[in-house]
Amino acid sequence: MTLTTQWGEALDPEQVLPEYPRPQLVRDSHLNLNGRWAYAITDDAREPARYDGEILVPFSPEAPLSGVGRQLLPGQTLWYRRALRLPDGFRRPGHRVLLHFGAVDQTCSVLLNGVPVGGRTGGYLPLTCDVTDALRDGENVLVVAVRDDSDTGYHARGKQKLRRGGIWYTAQSGIWQTVWAECVPEAHVERLTLTPHLAQGCVEVTVHADVAAADAEIRILADGVVVAEASAAAGVAVRLPLPEVRPWTPEDPFLYDVTVAYGDDRVRGYVGMRSFGVGPDADGVLRLLLNGQPYFHAGVLDQGYWPDGLYTPPSDEAMVADIAAMKRLGFTMLRKHIKIEPLRWYHHCDRLGMLVWQDMVNGGAAYHPLVVTAPVLTPLRLPDRGRWRRWFGRGDAAGRDEFRAEVRETVEHLRNVVSIAVWVPFNEGWGQFDAAEVAREVAALDPTRTVDHASGWHDQGGGDLRSLHVYFRRFRVPRPDAAAGGDRRALVLSEYGGYTLRVDGHTFGPAEFGYRRYRTGAELAEAFTRLHDEQIVPAVPAGLAATVYTQLSDVEDELNGLFSYDRRVLKLPEEVVRQVNVRLRLPPRG
């Protein structure tokens, strides 16, 4: 059966994800290009003379909401085509027109009126094309060509698999985030770097621009009132002291507005005053720190899949609903698992007060079963350097270089997100290599956040966290492991639970994957409570600093979500989950 969410059912094809897609760098110029495009799938790289039909962008052709229902295969080309006519007054003299793609999976080329204007390889990060010189007055023709090796190559692919099943899901392709255009002055802000320094009570701002103009005028506002202002040249960091700093927390997610005037350009953003780290509590136990104080991260695994949109949420309201539901259940953190979301998702976490652990997206060749399955049941730990890289699917140097480049790009892309507390470079050995070294690189790129270098297993002693996944075994706080960081890292249970309940009428298909199965909601609630009462809550005073329950919703064959895949059924009583999360909180210091 085809599952739909309530937001997918209510989707208006004339108003598909119309919201401004980049909340921390907002301009008044915005032309949304989502909606109906022509599409075709060919067996070669030549644009067809005739297209196959219509696709609803930005839904992948494999997603029901796209209206296509076809799988793009390696070696094929997915073509998009649409007319582009700029509204009157949109394009101004002396300005540039930029075309933005939130994400296109995996490799794309963009042409305007037959002129190549941009492209990229990498299905999870944005692409910007300056189309000014290719534009004509009146109607233009925009064409996008896409190829996708999916899991047959070494590019980042996440949990997509052409032969889906179990913990691997339907491969999707093509445009899957918002397409939009803006008109900017020749000298304009390319990006902002906004770094809160809570201990010093100031925000460090860097305005990045490729074309020089007069100094940028920067203002920071609290509740609409200017509280700090400064001038700085592009590329020069300036610190703006704030009076009576109001820290950002999940309980009080206060955000300061930021405005920047750079020549004729005007942009708006925001920043939150918070700090992250690892340090001892009053008893000397290592904890995750929020604003210098121990703070327990009670999290849930969030894979960001939708039955009707696959990678693409059916609406802005759908993203908000997931985050708000987890907050209502008492969770303080979402681990964004093997996916990079649209920037609006992070914005909602910032404003609603939800911490985020951000996974990098895995790639590589096929993974050896010993690497990815044996550690579920045995305490296997393999090295990930030298000749061992082949076991992790990382024997190809080009693939390793591409992953490192995408890690750097991911950090820059999401650097200003207030809610991101932890970077997670590798998960369960999928495409893992040189994890301790990669963790050091991430920490050097962004020293303001914590790093979980190898979530689950194959710990190389790097990063800030000793990160365990426990499903089939009883969880016990392990002894410090001198070979894996000793007692200098905080202990986190970064995946556990995964209890399964099938809800008839709300499942993807007949297959059923999970880590422990229950027949009724009452049985599931009893087991969920017992797990936490007997294993998880007692581990907190013994050193457990964070938990990540599997998972927010069912995903295809996996029926171990708190919600059904269509988000229509919560399988556990809200109060049961809330009470467990209350018991996981750390007592206030002092």
Side-chain angles (χ1 to χ4, degrees):
M1 63 179 291
T2 299
L3 288 181
T4 59
T5 63
Q6 61 178 328
W7 307 282
E9 284 185 350
L11 181 69
D12 178 359
E14 304 302 324
Q15 290 288 320
V16 182
L17 295 165
E19 296 82 9
Y20 195 92
R22 195 181 55 195
Q24 284 186 296
L25 190 66
V26 178
R27 288 188 178 91
D28 291 336
S29 177
H30 172 225
L31 176 63
N32 187 287
L33 298 175
N34 294 339
R36 294 184 177 93
W37 296 42
Y39 91 94
I41 295 177
T42 63
D43 291 327
D44 55 33
R46 291 176 295 180
E47 184 182 359
R50 296 181 62 183
Y51 276 61
D52 298 338
E54 284 190 339
I55 184 171
L56 193 62
V57 170
F59 299 105
S60 297
E62 298 83 2
L65 287 176
S66 73
V68 174
R70 294 176 64 181
Q71 175 72 65
L72 181 68
L73 297 174
Q76 294 181 325
T77 304
L78 168 62
W79 297 89
Y80 295 86
R81 183 184 178 98
R82 66 158 289 160
L84 174 62
R85 182 185 292 271
L86 299 180
D88 292 343
F90 182 85
R91 187 179 181 185
R92 285 165 281 179
H95 284 53
R96 312 295 295 180
V97 175
L98 305 181
L99 177 64
H100 301 281
F101 295 82
V104 185
D105 192 11
Q106 273 174 335
T107 298
C108 73
S109 300
V110 184
L111 299 94
L112 186 67
N113 300 321
V115 178
V117 292
R120 71 161 295 142
T121 293
Y124 296 83
L125 291 162
L127 166 66
T128 296
C129 308
D130 186 332
V131 300
T132 312
D133 296 335
L135 276 169
R136 299 191 297 235
D137 293 335
E139 186 169 292
N140 297 264
V141 177
L142 176 61
V143 172
V144 182
V146 180
R147 297 175 73 86
D148 190 350
D149 294 335
S150 192
D151 58 308
T152 68
Y154 60 65
H155 303 304
R157 61 180 179 269
K159 297 187 74 174
Q160 303 179 66
K161 203 171 181 64
L162 290 168
R163 297 185 64 180
R164 53 151 302 280
I167 68 168
W168 309 105
Y169 314 137
T170 299
Q172 64 103 65
S173 58
I175 298 169
W176 66 273
Q177 290 189 25
T178 289
V179 185
W180 61 291
E182 63 177 342
C183 186
V184 301
E186 185 80 24
H188 63 274
V189 177
E190 298 276 347
R191 59 188 174 91
L192 300 174
T193 299
L194 306 171
T195 306
H197 294 283
L198 183 63
Q200 290 77 41
C202 66
V203 178
E204 184 176 293
V205 179
T206 307
V207 177
H208 302 271
D210 285 343
V211 179
D215 285 357
E217 300 297 327
I218 305 162
R219 290 184 172 184
I220 298 179
L221 301 88
D223 292 327
V225 177
V226 176
V227 294
E229 51 189 331
S231 300
V236 177
V238 60
R239 293 195 173 195
L240 286 74
L242 301 180
E244 301 178 5
V245 172
R246 184 171 169 182
W248 182 95
T249 68
E251 295 74 29
D252 182 23
F254 183 78
L255 300 173
Y256 290 85
D257 294 314
V258 179
T259 66
V260 175
Y262 182 69
D264 294 330
D265 197 17
R266 302 290 183 271
V267 296
R268 306 183 300 279
Y270 64 85
V271 68
M273 296 299 294
R274 83 296 182 258
S275 67
F276 302 115
V278 171
D281 64 13
D283 298 319
V285 177
L286 281 179
R287 300 291 184 189
L288 289 166
L289 304 180
L290 172 62
N291 304 335
Q293 300 297 315
Y295 192 93
F296 192 89
H297 291 208
V300 64
L301 197 72
D302 179 3
Q303 306 210 57
Y305 271 81
W306 304 85
D308 42 14
L310 294 183
Y311 263 2
T312 310
S315 72
D316 204 59
E317 291 78 9
M319 289 187 272
V320 172
D322 268 7
I323 300 164
M326 294 304 104
K327 192 172 178 69
R328 189 169 64 247
L329 292 173
F331 292 102
T332 57
M333 175 263 284
L334 297 175
R335 180 181 168 199
K336 182 47 63 179
H337 193 42
I338 319 298
K339 184 191 178 194
I340 298 171
E341 290 284 2
L343 288 174
R344 290 196 63 84
W345 184 87
Y346 300 95
H347 168 63
H348 295 312
C349 289
D350 292 346
R351 68 178 186 83
L352 294 174
M354 180 64 77
L355 296 168
V356 175
W357 290 20
Q358 179 62 51
D359 289 8
M360 303 299 176
V361 183
N362 61 292
Y367 312 141
H368 194 289
L370 184 66
V371 169
V372 300
T373 59
V376 177
L377 298 172
T378 63
L380 180 68
R381 184 170 71 206
L382 298 175
D384 65 0
R385 298 178 61 82
R387 63 184 179 88
W388 289 96
R389 292 170 176 154
R390 290 187 299 105
W391 290 58
F392 294 83
R394 284 301 188 183
D396 192 295
R400 298 195 300 271
D401 291 344
E402 182 178 272
F403 177 82
R404 277 190 151 109
E406 290 189 348
V407 165
R408 292 191 293 271
E409 194 172 351
T410 300
V411 171
E412 288 304 329
H413 178 52
L414 300 178
R415 182 184 292 276
N416 291 340
V417 175
V418 177
S419 50
I420 292 180
V422 177
W423 298 114
V424 186
F426 296 109
N427 177 78
E428 294 187 351
W430 306 341
Q432 181 176 321
F433 68 96
D434 304 348
E437 183 178 333
V438 170
R440 288 191 291 271
E441 291 175 6
V442 172
L445 282 169
D446 181 10
T448 71
R449 293 181 171 99
T450 302
V451 180
D452 179 5
H453 83 305
S455 183
W457 37 77
H458 305 303
D459 189 339
Q460 307 299 306
D464 304 297
L465 306 178
R466 185 179 182 187
S467 183
L468 306 179
H469 293 184
V470 177
Y471 285 114
F472 294 109
R473 294 172 283 120
R474 184 179 181 86
F475 174 69
R476 295 181 175 87
V477 173
R479 295 177 179 177
D481 185 348
D487 59 359
R488 65 175 178 79
R489 299 183 302 168
L491 174 68
V492 301
L493 183 56
S494 48
E495 287 187 31
Y496 75 107
Y499 287 1
T500 295
L501 176 67
R502 174 180 287 276
V503 182
D504 290 337
H506 299 274
T507 57
F508 176 81
E512 182 174 322
F513 179 90
Y515 298 101
R516 192 166 295 181
R517 299 176 182 178
Y518 296 92
R519 295 174 300 174
T520 68
E523 287 182 0
L524 177 64
E526 180 183 358
F528 181 85
T529 302
R530 185 171 62 251
L531 168 67
H532 289 87
D533 284 350
E534 295 179 0
Q535 299 180 43
I536 309 304
V537 173
V540 175
L544 183 61
T547 52
V548 180
Y549 184 80
T550 301
Q551 61 181 319
L552 187 150
S553 77
D554 297 349
V555 182
E556 299 197 356
D557 294 351
E558 290 195 55
L559 304 184
N560 50 17
L562 295 170
F563 277 93
S564 58
Y565 194 17
D566 57 11
R567 309 317 201 261
R568 295 179 187 268
V569 179
L570 177 62
K571 302 181 189 180
L572 287 164
E574 286 192 13
E575 190 60 25
V576 167
V577 184
R578 276 200 301 266
Q579 285 304 312
V580 161
N581 284 327
V582 166
R583 294 198 293 277
L584 287 175
R585 293 175 187 167
L586 295 173
R589 179 175 284 182

